[in-house]
Amino acid sequence: FNKVYKHSRIQPFDVLLALDGTHSWEAIQEKLTSKLPDTMFLTLNRPRKIQVAVENTGNMGITLAFSDKSAGVVIQELHPSGMMVEWNAKRKSQGREVLEVLDRIIEFDGKAYCGTDLANLLEEKKHWRLTVLKYQGETGDMPVLEGLSRRSFGQ
């Protein structure tokens, strides 16, 4: 598909929202594990990449979800206090994008890391230069955080 349809290829981190109009994750899994038709219609949610630079002051106010092999880490929770609340408020007042629950951090200083390695870097390093994937609207009922470990960075 990607070789034939270069203008609309499926890319890493695209999220499958629907298959032939079916939105239920269980039904999509069932369709994908049965005999596939010659033609399928996929609805994908493609993330935008943003760059984030922030200083780790010891109380970041976020909880991340990840595994040893996950692609980066997912923001599971933004706490009501901490550096990220202040950082988000400043960016929002400038009309810029903010970090939100379910955003995925995939790179630190321009290098991709698996979940546990990235979480450890975030804990150790003072200056964060991150690449973050932001999804528009719904990501479906796919269990994004299922089976992932959690780590809070200050509360």
Side-chain angles (χ1 to χ4, degrees):
F1 177 87
N2 280 357
K3 288 180 184 178
V4 173
Y5 299 99
K6 292 183 179 172
H7 65 282
S8 60
R9 69 181 61 184
I10 299 170
Q11 297 178 12
F13 302 108
D14 284 352
V15 173
L16 179 62
L17 296 179
L19 175 61
D20 291 333
T22 300
H23 293 270
S24 161
W25 182 239
E26 289 78 19
I28 289 172
Q29 286 179 308
E30 188 176 312
K31 279 187 172 213
L32 289 174
T33 56
S34 62
K35 184 175 179 340
L36 296 175
D38 292 335
T39 305
M40 294 186 301
F41 184 78
L42 306 176
T43 304
L44 302 172
N45 188 345
R46 177 158 297 152
R48 292 177 330 285
K49 284 185 181 181
I50 66 167
Q51 301 301 313
V52 171
V54 66
E55 188 172 334
N56 179 351
T57 60
N59 180 13
M60 296 307 289
I62 57 176
T63 300
L64 303 175
F66 56 90
S67 72
D68 286 342
K69 296 180 187 207
S70 64
V73 299
V74 176
I75 297 175
Q76 178 186 3
E77 185 179 359
L78 290 165
H79 304 286
S81 65
M83 187 61 206
M84 291 317 304
V85 170
E86 296 169 25
W87 187 87
N88 273 349
K90 182 178 179 184
R91 287 191 50 109
K92 193 176 268 189
S93 72
Q94 298 168 344
R96 299 171 72 192
E97 290 189 286
V98 299
L99 291 181
E100 300 170 294
V101 171
L102 296 183
D103 286 352
R104 182 181 293 272
I105 303 168
I106 58 167
E107 294 178 353
F108 187 96
D109 280 341
K111 185 176 176 197
Y113 289 92
C114 289
T116 302
D117 294 337
L118 181 54
N120 289 337
L121 272 174
L122 294 173
E123 204 160 40
E124 296 167 6
K125 302 292 184 180
K126 185 172 178 90
H127 300 284
W128 294 0
R129 280 191 23 233
L130 311 172
T131 302
V132 179
L133 299 179
K134 296 196 63 63
Y135 292 88
Q136 284 292 98
E138 298 291 320
T139 54
D141 64 357
M142 192 168 91
V144 177
L145 300 175
E146 191 172 284
L148 300 178
S149 301
R150 275 67 164 162
R151 185 178 306 169
S152 288
F153 290 78
Q155 281 187 309

